[in-house]
Amino acid sequence: MISSSSLTITWHCPDIEEERWEFFNHPAKQEWYRSHDITWERIAANFNGGTLVPYPRAASIGDIPVALSYYSYTDYQTYLARAKRGYRKSYTQLEDALQISGSLALKAPIVLCSGGEGLLFSGYRRLCLGWNYGMVPYVWLVHL
């Protein structure tokens, strides 16, 4: 799927194995996993059945509320623009690459969905890149 403005991002299916840290180590997400009875095995088993879907800047994808998506520009300023240097630096590198080349191919952010509720599992910087450049990014939506 392609999101476009004067710049373009082509979104493709991410590799779930590259995102293991998000499940086992991200402290803010552990409660969501517990409350939805999510295991790594369940994510891995359902991952290939996901689909690329557009995610306009909002608190939800259609009627699915997405926890931890931090969609507002104020959220972006709090969680990314003013984040620790290492976290912010990788976003800046993406931004520079997009500006220099005019086009990027990126792994889509991942949104998990269970019980009618979603969680931004990974890819916040990539999501912000699209939103901040006026694009509608695509996410890999996985129903569990």
Coordinates of all heavy atoms in Angstrom, one line a residue, residues 63-133:
D63 N -14.0 1.3 14.0 CA -14.6 1.3 15.4 C -13.7 0.6 16.4 O -14.2 0.2 17.5 CB -16.0 0.6 15.3 CG -15.9 -0.8 14.7 OD1 -14.8 -1.3 14.3 OD2 -17.0 -1.5 14.8
I64 N -12.4 0.4 16.1 CA -11.5 -0.3 17.0 C -10.7 0.8 17.7 O -9.8 1.4 17.1 CB -10.6 -1.3 16.3 CG1 -11.4 -2.3 15.5 CG2 -9.6 -1.9 17.2 CD1 -10.5 -3.2 14.6
P65 N -10.9 1.0 19.0 CA -10.0 2.0 19.7 C -8.6 1.4 19.8 O -8.5 0.2 20.1 CB -10.7 2.1 21.1 CG -11.5 0.9 21.2 CD -11.9 0.4 19.9
V66 N -7.6 2.2 19.6 CA -6.2 1.7 19.6 C -5.5 2.4 20.8 O -5.2 3.5 20.8 CB -5.5 2.0 18.3 CG1 -4.1 1.5 18.3 CG2 -6.3 1.4 17.1
A67 N -5.2 1.5 21.8 CA -4.4 2.0 22.9 C -3.0 2.3 22.6 O -2.4 1.6 21.7 CB -4.5 0.9 24.0
L68 N -2.4 3.2 23.2 CA -1.0 3.6 23.1 C -0.6 4.1 21.7 O 0.6 4.1 21.3 CB -0.1 2.5 23.5 CG -0.3 2.0 24.9 CD1 0.7 0.8 25.2 CD2 -0.1 3.1 26.0
S69 N -1.6 4.6 20.9 CA -1.3 5.1 19.6 C -0.8 6.5 19.6 O -0.2 7.0 18.7 CB -2.4 4.9 18.6 OG -3.5 5.8 19.0
Y70 N -1.1 7.2 20.7 CA -0.6 8.6 20.9 C -0.8 9.4 19.6 O 0.2 9.8 19.0 CB 0.8 8.6 21.4 CG 1.0 7.8 22.6 CD1 1.9 6.7 22.7 CD2 0.3 8.1 23.8 CE1 2.1 6.0 23.8 CE2 0.5 7.4 25.0 CZ 1.4 6.3 25.0 OH 1.6 5.6 26.1
Y71 N -2.0 9.6 19.1 CA -2.2 10.1 17.8 C -2.2 11.6 17.7 O -2.0 12.1 16.6 CB -3.6 9.6 17.3 CG -4.7 10.1 18.1 CD1 -5.4 11.3 17.7 CD2 -5.1 9.5 19.3 CE1 -6.4 11.8 18.5 CE2 -6.1 10.1 20.1 CZ -6.8 11.2 19.6 OH -7.8 11.7 20.4
S72 N -2.4 12.3 18.7 CA -2.4 13.8 18.6 C -1.0 14.4 18.4 O 0.0 13.8 18.8 CB -3.1 14.4 19.8 OG -2.2 14.4 20.9
Y73 N -0.9 15.6 17.9 CA 0.4 16.2 17.7 C 1.0 16.5 19.1 O 2.2 16.4 19.3 CB 0.2 17.5 16.9 CG 1.6 18.0 16.5 CD1 2.4 17.4 15.6 CD2 2.1 19.1 17.2 CE1 3.7 17.9 15.3 CE2 3.4 19.6 16.9 CZ 4.2 19.0 16.0 OH 5.4 19.5 15.7
T74 N 0.1 16.8 20.1 CA 0.6 17.1 21.4 C 1.3 15.8 22.0 O 2.3 15.8 22.6 CB -0.5 17.5 22.3 OG1 -1.1 18.7 21.8 CG2 0.0 17.8 23.8
D75 N 0.6 14.6 21.7 CA 1.2 13.3 22.1 C 2.6 13.1 21.4 O 3.5 12.7 22.0 CB 0.3 12.2 21.7 CG -0.9 12.1 22.6 OD1 -0.9 12.6 23.7 OD2 -1.9 11.5 22.1
Y76 N 2.7 13.5 20.1 CA 3.9 13.3 19.4 C 5.0 14.2 20.1 O 6.1 13.7 20.3 CB 3.7 13.8 17.9 CG 5.0 14.2 17.3 CD1 5.9 13.2 16.8 CD2 5.3 15.5 17.1 CE1 7.1 13.6 16.2 CE2 6.5 15.9 16.5 CZ 7.4 14.9 16.0 OH 8.6 15.3 15.5
Q77 N 4.7 15.4 20.4 CA 5.6 16.3 21.1 C 6.1 15.7 22.4 O 7.3 15.7 22.8 CB 5.1 17.7 21.3 CG 4.9 18.4 20.0 CD 4.3 19.8 20.3 OE1 3.3 19.9 20.9 NE2 4.9 20.8 19.7
T78 N 5.2 15.1 23.2 CA 5.5 14.5 24.5 C 6.3 13.2 24.3 O 7.3 13.1 25.0 CB 4.2 14.2 25.2 OG1 3.5 15.4 25.4 CG2 4.5 13.6 26.6
Y79 N 5.9 12.3 23.5 CA 6.4 11.0 23.4 C 7.6 10.8 22.4 O 8.3 9.8 22.5 CB 5.3 9.9 23.2 CG 4.4 9.9 24.3 CD1 3.1 10.4 24.2 CD2 4.7 9.3 25.5 CE1 2.2 10.3 25.2 CE2 3.8 9.3 26.6 CZ 2.5 9.8 26.4 OH 1.6 9.8 27.5
L80 N 7.7 11.7 21.5 CA 8.7 11.5 20.5 C 9.6 12.7 20.3 O 10.8 12.6 20.5 CB 8.1 11.1 19.1 CG 9.1 10.7 18.0 CD1 10.0 9.6 18.4 CD2 8.3 10.3 16.8
A81 N 9.1 13.8 20.1 CA 9.9 15.0 19.8 C 10.7 15.4 21.0 O 11.9 15.9 20.9 CB 9.0 16.2 19.4
R82 N 10.2 15.1 22.2 CA 11.0 15.4 23.4 C 11.5 14.2 24.1 O 11.9 14.3 25.3 CB 10.1 16.3 24.4 CG 9.7 17.6 23.8 CD 8.9 18.4 24.7 NE 8.5 19.6 24.0 CZ 7.3 20.2 24.1 NH1 6.4 19.6 24.9 NH2 7.0 21.3 23.5
A83 N 11.5 13.1 23.4 CA 12.0 11.8 24.0 C 13.5 11.8 24.2 O 14.2 12.7 23.6 CB 11.5 10.7 23.1
K84 N 14.0 10.8 24.8 CA 15.4 10.7 25.0 C 16.1 10.6 23.6 O 15.5 10.2 22.6 CB 15.8 9.4 25.7 CG 15.3 9.5 27.2 CD 15.7 8.2 27.9 CE 15.3 8.3 29.4 NZ 15.6 7.0 30.1
R85 N 17.3 11.1 23.6 CA 18.0 11.3 22.3 C 18.0 10.1 21.4 O 17.8 10.2 20.2 CB 19.4 11.7 22.6 CG 20.2 12.1 21.3 CD 21.6 12.6 21.7 NE 22.3 13.1 20.5 CZ 23.0 12.2 19.7 NH1 23.1 11.0 20.0 NH2 23.6 12.7 18.6
G86 N 18.3 8.9 21.9 CA 18.3 7.7 21.1 C 17.0 7.4 20.4 O 17.0 7.0 19.2
Y87 N 15.9 7.5 21.1 CA 14.6 7.2 20.5 C 14.3 8.3 19.5 O 13.8 7.9 18.4 CB 13.5 7.2 21.7 CG 12.2 6.7 21.2 CD1 12.0 5.3 21.1 CD2 11.1 7.6 20.9 CE1 10.8 4.8 20.7 CE2 9.9 7.1 20.5 CZ 9.7 5.7 20.4 OH 8.5 5.2 20.1
R88 N 14.5 9.5 19.8 CA 14.2 10.6 18.8 C 15.2 10.5 17.6 O 14.8 10.8 16.5 CB 14.4 11.9 19.6 CG 14.0 13.1 18.8 CD 14.2 14.4 19.6 NE 15.6 14.7 20.0 CZ 16.1 14.6 21.2 NH1 15.3 14.4 22.2 NH2 17.3 14.8 21.5
K89 N 16.4 10.1 17.8 CA 17.4 10.1 16.7 C 17.0 9.2 15.6 O 17.1 9.6 14.4 CB 18.8 9.7 17.3 CG 19.9 9.8 16.3 CD 21.2 9.4 16.8 CE 22.3 9.5 15.8 NZ 23.6 9.1 16.3
S90 N 16.4 8.0 15.9 CA 16.0 7.1 14.9 C 14.9 7.7 14.1 O 14.8 7.5 12.9 CB 15.7 5.7 15.4 OG 14.6 5.8 16.3
Y91 N 14.0 8.5 14.7 CA 12.9 9.1 14.0 C 13.5 10.2 13.0 O 13.1 10.3 11.9 CB 11.9 9.8 14.9 CG 10.8 10.6 14.2 CD1 9.7 10.0 13.6 CD2 11.0 12.0 14.0 CE1 8.8 10.7 12.9 CE2 10.0 12.7 13.3 CZ 8.9 12.1 12.8 OH 8.0 12.8 12.1
T92 N 14.4 10.9 13.5 CA 15.1 12.0 12.7 C 15.8 11.4 11.5 O 15.7 11.9 10.4 CB 16.1 12.8 13.6 OG1 15.4 13.4 14.7 CG2 16.7 13.9 12.8
Q93 N 16.4 10.2 11.7 CA 17.0 9.5 10.6 C 16.0 9.1 9.5 O 16.3 9.3 8.3 CB 17.8 8.3 11.0 CG 19.0 8.7 11.8 CD 19.7 7.5 12.5 OE1 19.1 6.5 12.7 NE2 21.0 7.6 12.8
L94 N 14.8 8.6 9.9 CA 13.8 8.3 9.0 C 13.3 9.6 8.2 O 13.1 9.5 7.0 CB 12.6 7.7 9.7 CG 12.7 6.3 10.2 CD1 11.4 5.9 11.0 CD2 12.8 5.3 9.0
E95 N 13.1 10.6 9.0 CA 12.7 11.9 8.4 C 13.7 12.4 7.4 O 13.3 12.8 6.3 CB 12.5 12.9 9.5 CG 11.6 14.1 9.2 CD 11.3 14.9 10.4 OE1 12.2 15.2 11.2 OE2 10.2 15.3 10.5
D96 N 14.9 12.4 7.7 CA 16.0 12.8 6.8 C 16.0 12.0 5.5 O 16.1 12.5 4.4 CB 17.4 12.8 7.5 CG 17.5 13.9 8.5 OD1 16.7 14.8 8.6 OD2 18.5 13.7 9.3
A97 N 15.9 10.7 5.7 CA 15.9 9.8 4.5 C 14.7 10.0 3.6 O 14.9 10.0 2.4 CB 15.9 8.3 5.0
L98 N 13.6 10.3 4.2 CA 12.4 10.6 3.4 C 12.6 11.9 2.7 O 12.3 12.0 1.5 CB 11.1 10.7 4.3 CG 9.8 11.0 3.6 CD1 9.5 10.0 2.6 CD2 8.7 11.1 4.6
Q99 N 13.1 12.9 3.3 CA 13.3 14.2 2.7 C 14.4 14.1 1.6 O 14.2 14.7 0.5 CB 13.8 15.2 3.7 CG 12.7 15.7 4.7 CD 11.7 16.6 4.0 OE1 11.9 17.2 2.9 NE2 10.5 16.7 4.6
I100 N 15.4 13.4 1.8 CA 16.5 13.3 0.8 C 16.1 12.5 -0.4 O 16.2 12.9 -1.6 CB 17.8 12.6 1.4 CG1 18.4 13.7 2.4 CG2 18.8 12.2 0.4 CD1 19.4 13.1 3.3
S101 N 15.4 11.3 -0.2 CA 15.1 10.4 -1.3 C 13.7 10.7 -1.9 O 13.5 10.4 -3.0 CB 15.2 9.0 -0.9 OG 14.1 8.7 0.0
G102 N 12.8 11.3 -1.1 CA 11.5 11.5 -1.6 C 10.6 10.3 -1.4 O 9.3 10.5 -1.6
S103 N 11.1 9.2 -1.2 CA 10.3 8.0 -1.1 C 11.0 7.0 -0.2 O 12.3 6.8 -0.2 CB 10.2 7.4 -2.5 OG 9.5 6.2 -2.4
L104 N 10.2 6.3 0.6 CA 10.8 5.2 1.5 C 9.9 4.0 1.4 O 8.7 4.1 1.2 CB 10.8 5.7 3.0 CG 11.8 6.7 3.4 CD1 11.6 7.0 4.9 CD2 13.2 6.3 3.2
A105 N 10.5 2.8 1.7 CA 9.8 1.6 1.8 C 10.0 1.2 3.3 O 11.1 1.1 3.7 CB 10.3 0.5 0.9
L106 N 8.9 1.1 4.1 CA 9.0 0.8 5.5 C 8.1 -0.3 5.9 O 7.0 -0.6 5.3 CB 8.5 2.1 6.3 CG 9.4 3.3 6.2 CD1 8.7 4.5 7.0 CD2 10.8 3.1 6.6
K107 N 8.5 -1.0 7.0 CA 7.6 -2.0 7.6 C 6.5 -1.3 8.2 O 6.6 -0.2 8.8 CB 8.4 -2.7 8.7 CG 9.6 -3.5 8.3 CD 10.3 -4.1 9.4 CE 10.8 -3.0 10.3 NZ 11.6 -3.5 11.5
A108 N 5.3 -1.8 8.0 CA 4.1 -1.2 8.6 C 4.1 -1.3 10.1 O 4.6 -2.3 10.6 CB 2.8 -1.8 8.0
P109 N 3.6 -0.3 10.8 CA 3.4 -0.5 12.3 C 2.5 -1.6 12.5 O 1.7 -2.0 11.6 CB 2.8 0.8 12.7 CG 3.3 1.8 11.6 CD 3.3 1.0 10.4
I110 N 2.5 -2.2 13.6 CA 1.6 -3.4 13.9 C 0.6 -3.0 15.0 O 0.9 -2.4 16.0 CB 2.4 -4.6 14.5 CG1 3.5 -5.0 13.4 CG2 1.5 -5.7 14.8 CD1 4.5 -6.0 14.0
V111 N -0.7 -3.3 14.7 CA -1.8 -3.1 15.6 C -2.4 -4.5 15.9 O -2.8 -5.2 15.0 CB -2.8 -2.1 15.1 CG1 -4.0 -2.1 16.1 CG2 -2.2 -0.7 14.9
L112 N -2.4 -4.8 17.2 CA -3.1 -6.1 17.6 C -4.5 -5.7 18.0 O -4.7 -4.7 18.6 CB -2.4 -6.7 18.8 CG -0.9 -7.0 18.6 CD1 -0.3 -7.6 19.9 CD2 -0.6 -8.0 17.5
C113 N -5.4 -6.6 17.7 CA -6.8 -6.4 18.0 C -7.4 -7.7 18.7 O -7.2 -8.8 18.2 CB -7.6 -6.1 16.8 SG -9.4 -5.8 17.1
S114 N -8.0 -7.4 19.9 CA -8.6 -8.5 20.6 C -9.8 -8.0 21.4 O -9.7 -6.9 22.0 CB -7.6 -9.1 21.6 OG -8.2 -10.2 22.3
G115 N -10.9 -8.7 21.3 CA -12.1 -8.2 22.0 C -12.6 -6.9 21.6 O -13.1 -6.1 22.4
G116 N -12.4 -6.5 20.3 CA -12.9 -5.2 19.8 C -12.0 -4.0 20.3 O -12.3 -2.9 20.0
E117 N -10.8 -4.3 20.9 CA -9.9 -3.3 21.3 C -8.5 -3.5 20.6 O -8.1 -4.7 20.5 CB -9.7 -3.3 22.8 CG -11.0 -3.0 23.5 CD -10.8 -3.1 25.0 OE1 -9.8 -3.7 25.5 OE2 -11.6 -2.5 25.8
G118 N -7.9 -2.4 20.3 CA -6.6 -2.6 19.6 C -5.5 -2.0 20.5 O -5.7 -1.3 21.5
L119 N -4.2 -2.4 20.1 CA -3.0 -1.9 20.8 C -2.0 -1.7 19.7 O -1.7 -2.5 18.9 CB -2.5 -3.0 21.8 CG -1.1 -2.7 22.3 CD1 -1.1 -1.6 23.4 CD2 -0.5 -4.0 22.9
L120 N -1.4 -0.5 19.7 CA -0.3 -0.2 18.8 C 0.9 -1.0 19.4 O 1.5 -0.7 20.4 CB 0.1 1.3 18.8 CG 1.3 1.6 17.9 CD1 1.0 1.2 16.4 CD2 1.7 3.0 17.9
F121 N 1.2 -2.2 18.8 CA 2.2 -3.1 19.2 C 3.6 -2.6 18.9 O 4.5 -2.7 19.8 CB 1.9 -4.5 18.6 CG 2.9 -5.5 18.9 CD1 2.9 -6.1 20.2 CD2 3.8 -6.0 18.0 CE1 3.8 -7.1 20.5 CE2 4.7 -7.0 18.3 CZ 4.7 -7.5 19.6
S122 N 3.8 -2.1 17.7 CA 5.1 -1.5 17.4 C 4.9 -0.5 16.2 O 3.9 -0.5 15.5 CB 6.0 -2.7 17.0 OG 5.6 -3.2 15.8
G123 N 6.0 0.3 16.1 CA 6.0 1.2 14.9 C 5.6 2.6 15.1 O 5.2 3.3 14.2
Y124 N 5.6 3.1 16.4 CA 5.1 4.5 16.6 C 5.9 5.5 15.8 O 5.3 6.4 15.2 CB 5.2 4.8 18.1 CG 4.8 6.1 18.5 CD1 3.4 6.5 18.3 CD2 5.6 7.1 19.0 CE1 3.0 7.8 18.6 CE2 5.2 8.4 19.3 CZ 3.8 8.7 19.1 OH 3.4 10.0 19.4
R125 N 7.2 5.4 15.7 CA 8.0 6.4 14.9 C 7.6 6.4 13.5 O 7.4 7.4 12.9 CB 9.5 6.1 15.1 CG 10.0 6.5 16.5 CD 11.4 6.0 16.7 NE 11.3 4.6 17.0 CZ 12.2 4.0 17.7 NH1 13.2 4.6 18.2 NH2 12.0 2.7 18.0
R126 N 7.4 5.2 12.9 CA 7.0 5.1 11.5 C 5.6 5.7 11.3 O 5.3 6.3 10.3 CB 7.0 3.6 11.0 CG 8.5 3.1 10.9 CD 8.5 1.6 10.7 NE 8.4 1.0 12.1 CZ 8.1 -0.2 12.3 NH1 7.9 -1.1 11.3 NH2 8.0 -0.7 13.5
L127 N 4.7 5.4 12.2 CA 3.3 5.9 12.2 C 3.4 7.5 12.2 O 2.7 8.1 11.4 CB 2.5 5.4 13.4 CG 1.0 5.5 13.4 CD1 0.4 4.9 12.2 CD2 0.5 4.9 14.7
C128 N 4.1 8.0 13.1 CA 4.3 9.5 13.3 C 4.9 10.1 12.0 O 4.4 11.2 11.6 CB 5.1 9.9 14.4 SG 4.3 9.7 16.0
L129 N 5.8 9.4 11.4 CA 6.4 9.9 10.1 C 5.3 10.1 9.1 O 5.2 11.2 8.5 CB 7.5 9.0 9.6 CG 8.2 9.4 8.4 CD1 9.1 10.6 8.8 CD2 9.1 8.3 7.8
G130 N 4.5 9.2 8.9 CA 3.4 9.3 7.9 C 2.4 10.4 8.3 O 2.1 11.3 7.5
W131 N 2.0 10.4 9.6 CA 1.0 11.4 10.1 C 1.6 12.8 9.9 O 0.9 13.7 9.5 CB 0.7 11.1 11.5 CG -0.3 10.0 11.7 CD1 -1.2 9.5 10.8 CD2 -0.5 9.3 12.9 NE1 -1.9 8.5 11.4 CE2 -1.5 8.4 12.7 CE3 0.0 9.4 14.2 CZ2 -2.0 7.5 13.7 CZ3 -0.4 8.6 15.2 CH2 -1.4 7.6 15.0
N132 N 2.9 13.0 10.3 CA 3.5 14.3 10.3 C 3.7 14.9 9.0 O 3.9 16.1 8.8 CB 4.7 14.3 11.2 CG 4.5 14.2 12.7 OD1 3.3 14.4 13.1 ND2 5.5 13.8 13.4
Y133 N 3.7 14.0 7.9 CA 3.9 14.5 6.6 C 2.5 14.5 5.8 O 2.5 14.5 4.6 CB 5.0 13.7 5.9 CG 6.3 14.2 6.2 CD1 7.0 13.7 7.4 CD2 7.0 15.2 5.5 CE1 8.2 14.3 7.8 CE2 8.2 15.7 5.8 CZ 8.8 15.2 7.0 OH 10.0 15.8 7.4

